[in-house]
Amino acid sequence: MEQFSALLSSANLQWVLIGSLLLGFASGVIGSFVLLKKQSLISDAMAHAALPGVCIVYILFQTKTVPYLLTGAAVTSLIATQSIQTIVKWSRIKTDAAIGITLSVFFGLGIVLLTYIQQNATGNQAGLDSFIFGQAASLVKGDVQLIAAGALCLIILTALFFKEFKISIFDPQFAKGLGLPVTFFNAVLLFLVVAVVVIGIQMVGVVLIAALLITPPISARYWTDQLGWMTMLAGIFGAISGVSGAVLSTAIQNLPTGPIIVLSASVIFLFSLLFGTKKGLLLKGGRNA
Amino acid sequence: MNALTVSNMSVSYDKQLALENVSFSVPEGSMTGIIGPNGAGKSTLIKSILQLLPTVSGTVEVFKKPLRSQRKIIGYVPQRSEVDWDFPTNALDVVLMGRYNHIGMFKRASKKEVTWAKHCLQRVGMQDYASRQISQLSGGQQQRVFLARAMAQDAKIYFMDEPFAGVDASTEKAIIQLMKEWKNEGKTVLVVHHDLQTVNDYFDHVLLLNKTPIAYGETNRVFTLANLEEAYGGKIAFLQQGPKAAKGST
């Protein structure tokens, strides 16, 4: 226990807490729009596709400078998104299969490259594998500050575009009829998803970060019928999951952060599924059933 | 003055022409029913006019100016089935969407806009449902919310895509009532319509369409058996069989 309070008072951990809180909040908020747009699985493919980007940058430039690695992650994520859309457009393959193909190809490539890097160790390769499941404890202050600042920017951007996202997801035809630039709004949302995935993979890992985008919003949907409240609640649920994942994984040696975050989010989801005031299972037959 | 002029519009899906060389002009203050068999391209026509779909060719002018510059005076009621009614929002919020191009980017709706949206809900008899989640509205009530949203746009020309599909008789009456009010205010209305029995009562102009316009003009001159037979092929016999049989569906 003493050890635990000592941990909490360390400056580094305080930054980890702030970072995980903001990252969780940003994921929940952005994930709400992704969920309503029925693109949750695409975000999962994007996340998995970040891994080869990280590895390629490391192999090409022999650097572990985080912004470079994350730039690589963003590039391969976007390529994956584009290839899903291209497959659906130019073949008979439907979206679900296209996502499955893309996700596994990119992640497979990532694992191959990672193994290559580890077998050709040049001394400072350790740590790249934490991009798979995330490792909050290994983050240095600068990394966490980057996460915190990035997440804050994304939250502000999402708040700015709230009304625009709402109409272009609910009724894109009508929005276009009004002359609103729906394609541009879609691109902004895509950018936000890539950004949150990219800044989050160090902490949560590519395998599970999509859960941080998906689970808090579906939990929130069980408590409200209003988009504003849904995004707010999803943000809070995401923040709680993020913080508990970061704290537990730091306090207990060698626990990966991503899985703990996802388990926390899932506990909140189960609770919401059962007790949620809007269509929660135990309140079925109530006025909202 | 013509409220709408469509010239040489062609649209294709998968290399097949869905609309071919559609040209017509709609006079201001008229109520036009767009009539034709299933697959004739009626909804496609409306969406192409509003530039929601890519077109192969064609130009659209609204009050003698390119459509692009006239968005603020164009109202649109899409098909009810095209949106996700489980979306977490309420009736008032949906109506407010009709004001989004007036409110401007990044801004919230002002009190004035909210009051106007509430007034529009009231005009379609939905004032008591303003904060009701949209999935908890009946089909007719959802259609009324869409109408209120169109009304909130305060447009000069309205495009309605099958507003009567799946609504109860009282909602159909409410829609007709509203369209008549629009007409009295000098607004122009175009409606994709299925029920041939009501065409004479509802519309003063008719566009008979089957991929290409068969006829356009005043209802009493265009809505003739000969024209209908040309538009519908041989499938027009039901007209004589009584009102029920003529209800179309898509």
Side-chain angles (χ1 to χ4, degrees):
Chain A
M1 198 62 218
E2 255 172 52
Q3 215 181 350
F4 193 68
S5 56
L7 255 177
L8 277 182
S9 60
S10 92
N12 198 41
L13 187 69
Q14 281 168 5
W15 272 109
V16 168
L17 284 183
I18 294 171
S20 56
L21 186 135
L22 288 172
L23 176 70
F25 197 91
S27 310
V29 169
I30 295 169
S32 299
F33 294 102
V34 178
L35 179 77
L36 292 169
K37 206 157 182 263
K38 303 183 173 68
Q39 288 191 335
S40 298
L41 276 178
I42 294 183
S43 69
D44 198 19
M46 279 175 169
H48 279 76
L51 187 60
V54 170
C55 296
I56 290 169
V57 168
Y58 180 79
I59 292 170
L60 288 182
F61 304 106
Q62 294 293 320
T63 176
K64 276 180 68 188
T65 316
V66 170
Y68 292 140
L69 296 179
L70 297 189
T71 308
V75 170
T76 44
S77 278
L78 284 172
I79 294 175
T81 316
Q82 193 57 49
S83 63
I84 292 170
Q85 284 163 357
T86 310
I87 291 170
V88 172
K89 193 172 177 190
W90 295 104
S91 76
R92 301 174 57 182
I93 300 166
K94 302 279 184 249
T95 310
D96 59 336
I99 293 172
I101 296 166
T102 310
L103 183 150
S104 41
V105 167
F106 277 79
F107 189 59
L109 177 67
I111 293 294
V112 168
L113 293 175
L114 193 62
T115 315
Y116 168 82
I117 291 169
Q118 280 168 333
Q119 285 173 353
N120 294 271
T122 49
N124 71 339
Q125 88 291 352
L128 272 199
D129 54 339
S130 69
F131 277 99
I132 298 181
F133 288 119
Q135 193 60 270
S138 71
L139 295 177
V140 298
K141 195 174 162 190
D143 296 348
V144 191
Q145 284 171 333
L146 181 74
I147 293 175
L152 196 61
C153 288
L154 298 183
I155 293 166
I156 293 169
L157 269 176
T158 315
L160 278 177
F161 279 96
F162 181 84
K163 172 166 116 296
E164 283 70 25
F165 287 161
K166 176 158 89 175
I167 192 171
S168 48
I169 294 171
F170 172 66
D171 197 345
Q173 300 275 359
F174 183 77
K176 280 184 201 165
L178 289 180
L180 300 177
V182 174
T183 319
F184 169 68
F185 298 148
N186 288 339
V188 173
L189 183 58
L190 180 72
F191 162 78
L192 291 174
V193 178
V194 172
V196 82
V197 163
V198 163
I199 62 169
I201 51 175
Q202 273 183 298
M203 197 178 275
V204 190
V206 297
V207 177
L208 292 173
I209 189 155
L212 199 52
L213 281 162
I214 300 168
T215 319
I218 46 175
S219 309
R221 191 66 183 86
Y222 279 99
W223 299 98
T224 176
D225 279 335
Q226 281 300 302
L227 182 62
W229 284 111
M230 178 182 164
T231 49
M232 190 58 83
L233 267 179
I236 293 169
F237 291 161
I240 295 173
S241 315
V243 168
S244 39
V247 170
L248 288 176
S249 72
T250 312
I252 304 166
Q253 279 290 306
N254 287 330
L255 268 185
T257 312
I260 311 274
I261 288 182
V262 170
L263 287 178
S264 319
S266 305
V267 169
I268 296 173
F269 168 68
L270 271 179
F271 183 81
S272 307
L273 175 70
L274 292 175
F275 302 106
T277 51
K278 305 284 171 181
K279 298 188 183 174
L281 288 180
L282 291 184
L283 288 176
K284 245 189 181 168
R287 70 187 177 91
N288 290 305
Chain B
M1 180 162 172
N2 284 331
L4 173 75
T5 305
V6 177
S7 318
N8 293 317
M9 178 166 282
S10 294
V11 177
S12 74
Y13 284 128
D14 292 331
K15 292 175 189 165
Q16 282 211 320
L17 277 181
L19 287 175
E20 201 177 344
N21 269 328
V22 180
S23 298
F24 65 103
S25 294
V26 176
E28 184 176 4
S30 62
M31 289 229 274
T32 298
I34 301 172
I35 318 286
N38 289 338
K42 305 184 292 290
S43 294
T44 304
L45 175 64
I46 281 198
K47 287 180 185 167
S48 310
I49 291 174
L50 295 173
Q51 296 176 358
L52 309 179
L53 290 175
T55 52
V56 175
S57 67
T59 55
V60 178
E61 285 188 352
V62 174
F63 292 103
K64 304 215 160 137
K65 284 186 194 151
L67 177 124
R68 202 167 283 276
S69 61
Q70 300 280 55
R71 292 277 188 199
K72 283 196 176 164
I73 59 163
I74 297 170
Y76 176 37
V77 182
Q79 280 185 37
R80 193 161 46 85
S81 57
E82 284 177 359
V83 306
D84 173 14
W85 289 95
D86 246 347
F87 196 89
T89 191
N90 62 32
L92 183 64
D93 254 2
V94 174
V95 177
L96 267 173
M97 287 180 190
R99 303 300 298 169
Y100 274 16
N101 57 350
H102 291 264
I103 295 169
M105 288 256 270
F106 309 141
K107 285 193 211 127
R108 292 176 59 105
S110 65
K111 262 208 176 119
K112 207 178 110 204
E113 303 284 5
V114 175
T115 312
W116 170 241
K118 281 183 177 161
H119 166 76
C120 293
L121 269 178
Q122 194 195 350
R123 291 248 323 248
V124 296
M126 290 286 293
Q127 63 275 23
D128 297 336
Y129 298 88
S131 55
R132 183 75 67 95
Q133 151 72 12
I134 52 173
S135 67
Q136 290 168 29
L137 300 170
S138 72
Q141 289 170 332
Q142 289 173 346
Q143 191 64 56
R144 286 173 192 231
V145 169
F146 263 17
L147 279 177
R149 180 174 71 172
M151 195 193 305
Q153 290 185 270
D154 196 21
K156 283 188 179 158
I157 176 166
Y158 281 101
F159 296 85
M160 304 168 82
D161 201 346
E162 301 203 23
F164 305 111
V167 303
D168 50 275
S170 72
T171 299
E172 178 151 350
K173 261 191 200 149
I175 299 171
I176 286 301
Q177 182 59 38
L178 183 68
M179 280 165 49
K180 295 218 159 116
E181 282 171 30
W182 279 344
K183 186 182 155 72
N184 290 338
E185 292 164 17
K187 297 176 194 275
T188 312
V189 186
L190 287 94
V191 183
V192 170
H193 192 58
H194 258 295
D195 183 2
L196 296 179
Q197 299 298 324
T198 51
V199 169
N200 272 315
D201 300 333
Y202 291 176
F203 304 108
D204 51 36
H205 283 65
V206 167
L207 172 66
L208 262 175
L209 186 74
N210 194 350
K211 305 219 159 144
T212 188
I214 307 297
Y216 176 76
E218 286 170 30
T219 306
N220 52 15
R221 288 192 304 110
V222 170
F223 197 63
T224 62
L225 202 56
N227 279 338
L228 282 170
E229 259 168 343
E230 197 185 336
Y232 283 78
K235 295 170 240 159
I236 203 66
F238 57 74
L239 248 191
Q240 277 93 32
Q241 289 172 0
K244 281 252 162 89
K247 289 259 184 197
S249 64
T250 28

